[in-house]
Amino acid sequence: MQIQDLPYPDPGVPDARSGSRFLWWLFRNQLGGQFKSLAWGLLHFLSISALPFCVGVAVQAVVDHSGRRLALAGGLLALCCIGSALGDTFLHRTAVTNWITAAARVQQLLAHKAANLGSALTRRVAAGEVVAVSTGDVEKIGWFVEAGSRFTAAAVTIVVVCAGMVVYQPQLGAVVGVGLPVLALAALPLLPRATRRADVQREKAGRATELASDTVAGLRVLRGIGGEELFLDRYRRASQEVRHAAVRSARMWSLIAAIQVLLPGLLLIAVVWYGVHLARQGRVEIGELVAVYSSVMILSYPLRHFEEIAMAYSFSRPSATRAARVLSLERATSAEGSRDRDGNGLPAGDLYDPATGLLAPSGRLTAVVCGDPDAAGLLAERLGGHPSEVGTSVLLGGVPLDELPLGSARTAVLVQDKDPVLLSGTLRELLDVPASGAVAAEEALAAAQCADVLAALVQGSLGAEDPMDAHITERGRSLSGGQRQRLALARSLFTDPDVLVLDEPTSAVDSHTEARIAQGVRALRAGRTTVVFTSSPLLLEHADRVVLVHEGEVAAVGVHRELVREEPRYRAVVTRETDEEAALNDVLNELEEIEETA
């Protein structure tokens, strides 16, 4: 896989049992790129490591006044330089390719998981953690994946050079052969502590990211209640905790880096002292001493990769653990389904939930009233085939939704939750969604009462004469809550699914606009199945059928006026009456019945 070939046609099924297993799975899925990087790395490191031997041969040739050996040493030196340049160039290319392709694979896996889980993802994992995994964590994971092959090349080079020095000069080679493994493993006892400190840093950084995300998302509300300074102080404290943790982690890595500098220096001193001693005795030639001395100097370069792989693993392991935690999440129902249906074979008919007894007749507008907003949200997702828990499937025309592939279920039933997201871009791009084509964009916008929203978008977009070319900021932050709701409703109406489920679509809209929206939705969705979760009398008045769901079961069915008069639980939710008011209404109803009887 090359960078220009991204994205992957199929990123695969990850091993998300643990962070280490996930890293190993990524490594195994890039063996081709790893072998290329290993080959070029060996060429680069071995060419560099051979330079001291060439220099040693040249020095000895000068001492011995041998022109032929001097020319040979010059040729070998040129060959090593060419090999080093080629190896370094293509090692960098393959390493960057491995890094980016590994990170891209993780991002694709996370994107597929988010699309598969839908809104259930942020209920099971904090939004800040999802953001952290999708941004900074994928880079650290890619870093470890690509560093593995370079580390392997460096380790092989050190083994080969040590063996060559033992053959080339046994006495000095033995000192180097014993000292280099000690250098490579010297920092090993410090790695657990460094890893723990890196874990703490990542954890605190994730918390700070989550706090920042929540603060930005609620900035409008915070300004309204004067709470921005309070949250700013909280973020300052979280930021300082991240800084202190980063300093503690950096101190440990600085100590490891210092050891990687100190110990090679001590080994170099030992080699020079022992070499000079052997040279005085005539047991070592000058060229051999120069070659061994230079080799020890050069080997400090591949030795640094031992420190890098340790650092890469320490930083990538918690990142991989977090990614694996997200990727291990599963839907309550299978995304593949057990029925093979194409877009023309989607089921049609009544929408029925056996768990609650909720029935939404085909072609009618059904309003659902729940006293618990969270329960309403979960029920709305169940109706769309996205249950949060395993249970009896919702039926559409008698066909269980969990037997349909996820794409087919989403085509048949569209769910708009109470907090819809508007992506940045133009209004035309916002409405660039799969649609039946039966509803024009202008009709959907008019039904959702978006005239003032279009005017505000045009006014806030320079050079945009057509409202469809007006720019929408990230998550629609430049718009009010009611304006965002209306644009999201227009998008859902424009899609024109067979079954549309709306969860509190007008909770942030004023009553006059809400009344017009109720009329517009009813007219535009005539002949289509529509389910609206709401407690607004203005919407309930326009519903063909109103269902009260109490404690997870259907408690009453009727029309709005009848339920207000006859069902106390319904009246308590819709009119927000207190217990005293409810008791008074019961007394008045009894008096009316007595008067009618008399």
Side-chain angles (χ1 to χ4, degrees):
M1 174 62 70
Q2 298 297 317
I3 296 176
Q4 62 266 25
D5 298 327
L6 294 174
Y8 287 94
D10 180 13
V13 180
D15 185 350
R17 289 176 291 177
S18 67
S20 300
R21 290 178 181 271
F22 180 58
L23 289 173
W24 174 239
W25 178 84
L26 283 174
F27 193 89
R28 287 189 290 108
N29 276 270
Q30 295 192 202
L31 286 179
Q34 298 295 340
F35 281 127
K36 289 181 181 178
S37 183
L38 175 61
W40 291 115
L42 286 174
L43 176 61
H44 175 57
F45 290 133
L46 289 175
S47 297
I48 290 180
S49 300
L51 291 175
F53 293 96
C54 297
V55 173
V57 172
V59 170
Q60 192 61 41
V62 172
V63 173
D64 296 339
H65 304 286
S66 175
R68 184 178 62 83
R69 280 192 293 168
L70 184 60
L72 176 62
L76 291 176
L77 192 64
L79 188 61
C80 289
C81 290
I82 295 173
S84 175
L86 286 175
D88 189 26
T89 300
F90 287 98
L91 172 62
H92 179 73
R93 287 173 59 92
T94 54
V96 171
T97 299
N98 289 337
W99 189 334
I100 293 178
T101 52
R105 185 189 295 272
V106 178
Q107 285 185 322
Q108 276 189 252
L109 291 171
L110 292 170
H112 288 179
K113 181 61 65 174
N116 188 14
L117 293 176
S119 60
L121 174 62
T122 52
R123 286 204 309 269
R124 301 166 68 178
V125 180
E129 182 170 352
V130 177
V131 172
V133 171
S134 303
T135 53
D137 284 342
V138 296
E139 295 184 4
K140 293 179 174 59
I141 293 172
W143 176 27
F144 175 75
V145 171
E146 71 86 12
S149 54
R150 290 190 291 112
F151 164 73
T152 304
V156 172
T157 299
I158 289 175
V159 172
V160 170
V161 171
C162 287
M165 280 195 289
V166 170
V167 174
Y168 179 70
Q169 173 42 249
Q171 293 172 311
L172 290 177
V175 176
V176 176
V178 172
L180 283 179
V182 174
L183 296 183
L185 302 177
L188 193 60
L190 299 177
L191 290 182
R193 181 177 298 180
T195 302
R196 287 194 297 270
R197 292 190 179 185
D199 291 347
V200 171
Q201 179 189 356
R202 294 299 307 157
E203 180 182 357
K204 292 185 179 297
R207 292 177 181 174
T209 302
E210 181 179 352
L211 180 59
S213 176
D214 292 342
T215 302
V216 172
L219 190 57
R220 185 187 298 270
V221 177
L222 291 176
R223 286 176 176 171
I225 62 176
E228 61 267 29
E229 287 298 328
L230 174 62
F231 274 78
L232 183 59
D233 289 339
R234 290 182 181 178
Y235 182 74
R236 284 197 187 102
R237 290 194 296 270
S239 178
Q240 289 302 310
E241 290 180 1
V242 174
R243 184 178 68 84
H244 290 310
V247 170
R248 282 174 51 82
S249 179
R251 285 173 180 170
M252 185 55 62
W253 288 112
S254 299
L255 177 59
I256 293 175
I259 292 175
Q260 295 293 318
V261 173
L262 174 63
L263 294 184
L266 295 177
L267 177 61
L268 188 62
I269 293 173
V271 168
V272 171
W273 178 82
Y274 186 53
V276 170
H277 177 70
L278 294 177
R280 286 179 176 178
Q281 296 178 352
R283 298 162 63 184
V284 173
E285 295 181 348
I286 298 300
E288 294 176 336
L289 178 59
V290 171
V292 174
Y293 167 80
S294 302
S295 295
V296 174
M297 291 282 294
I298 291 293
L299 284 178
S300 62
Y301 171 54
L303 273 175
R304 286 203 297 269
H305 288 77
F306 283 78
E307 176 190 350
E308 183 189 7
I309 194 65
M311 183 179 294
Y313 180 74
S314 297
F315 280 91
S316 65
R317 188 183 60 80
S319 297
T321 301
R322 287 150 55 115
R325 188 184 308 126
V326 175
L327 295 174
S328 63
L329 299 176
E330 297 293 342
R331 286 173 50 86
T333 58
S334 172
E336 287 76 16
S338 58
R339 298 194 179 202
D340 186 14
R341 289 176 174 263
D342 55 24
N344 297 322
L346 296 175
D350 298 341
L351 185 67
Y352 177 66
D353 178 24
T356 60
L358 173 62
L359 173 65
S362 176
R364 301 178 67 184
L365 174 59
T366 301
V368 181
V369 177
C370 288
D372 183 0
D374 293 333
L378 294 175
L379 180 54
E381 292 185 355
R382 276 182 53 79
L383 295 179
H386 316 302
S388 58
E389 298 178 355
V390 178
T392 306
S393 174
V394 171
L395 306 178
L396 177 59
V399 177
L401 286 180
D402 61 7
E403 293 185 3
L404 298 177
L406 181 59
S408 299
R410 287 179 170 172
T411 301
V413 184
L414 174 64
V415 179
Q416 176 183 305
D417 60 25
K418 65 184 64 177
D419 187 22
V421 175
L422 302 181
L423 301 179
S424 61
T426 64
L427 181 57
R428 194 184 310 278
E429 293 171 339
L430 177 69
L431 297 178
D432 185 15
V433 294
S436 67
V439 177
E442 293 76 12
E443 294 177 317
L445 291 167
Q449 301 299 309
C450 293
D452 63 316
V453 183
L454 299 181
L457 288 175
V458 171
Q459 185 177 5
S461 300
L462 296 177
E465 299 180 358
D466 187 350
M468 298 298 290
D469 295 326
H471 185 75
I472 301 173
T473 58
E474 180 189 3
R475 298 179 66 91
R477 299 191 193 283
S478 60
L479 303 173
S480 67
Q483 291 174 327
R484 289 197 297 269
Q485 275 192 335
R486 283 179 280 165
L487 280 182
L489 177 59
R491 179 177 58 188
S492 299
L493 294 174
F494 174 70
T495 302
D496 189 36
D498 292 337
V499 181
L500 176 60
V501 180
L502 303 172
D503 185 9
E504 296 288 353
T506 58
S507 59
V509 177
D510 64 83
S511 58
H512 297 288
T513 305
E514 188 176 29
R516 294 193 296 269
I517 289 176
Q519 296 173 356
V521 170
R522 180 179 177 84
L524 192 64
R525 292 288 300 173
R528 296 284 197 179
T529 305
T530 307
V531 181
V532 181
F533 286 80
T534 183
S535 58
S536 169
L538 296 173
L539 288 177
L540 295 170
E541 185 68 33
H542 289 81
D544 299 316
R545 174 186 174 93
V546 179
V547 180
L548 172 64
V549 176
H550 181 70
E551 295 183 353
E553 295 182 354
V554 172
V557 179
V559 294
H560 172 61
R561 293 181 183 274
E562 293 178 357
L563 292 176
V564 168
R565 185 174 60 254
E566 300 173 0
E567 178 55 59
R569 292 172 295 184
Y570 178 84
R571 186 168 58 248
V573 175
V574 173
T575 64
R576 274 75 168 178
E577 68 178 5
T578 63
D579 293 338
E580 293 77 7
E581 293 172 337
L584 179 59
N585 286 328
D586 291 340
V587 172
L588 293 176
N589 290 334
E590 291 178 1
L591 291 176
E592 289 178 359
E593 293 177 0
I594 293 174
E595 290 177 358
E596 291 175 358
T597 303

